[in-house]
Amino acid sequence: MLTCQAVVELITDYLEDALSVRGRGSLEAHLASCDACTVYVDQMRRTVHALGTVGPDLPIPPCNDLVETFRGYR
């Protein structure tokens, strides 16, 4: 049985259908018994769907702005 941490680590492969049949089965077995991970997977699916609707003209902030913002979170 997978742990919640393993689900987090495998989520991208799961959503991209890149897990083996066995890996997918293990992850889905975990989801069947873990409400928190089920919510997490649903949130990730919604995020991927929402980002897929963003056009190519979306301005991306300079990395320096992000770095400075995160430096303030100590």
Side-chain angles (χ1 to χ4, degrees), residues 3-66:
T3 63
C4 296
Q5 182 177 347
V7 171
V8 171
E9 293 171 2
L10 295 172
I11 189 68
T12 300
D13 287 343
Y14 178 70
L15 293 177
E16 293 178 352
D17 201 23
L19 288 178
S20 67
V21 171
R22 184 176 182 185
R24 185 172 197 82
S26 294
L27 195 142
E28 289 175 347
H30 178 87
L31 294 177
S33 65
C34 183
D35 291 338
C37 283
T38 300
V39 170
Y40 172 70
V41 170
D42 183 55
Q43 289 172 339
M44 293 301 291
R45 279 192 177 116
R46 290 172 187 241
T47 299
V48 169
H49 177 73
L51 291 175
T53 63
V54 174
D57 297 328
L58 178 70
I60 299 173
C63 290
N64 290 341
D65 291 349
L66 293 173

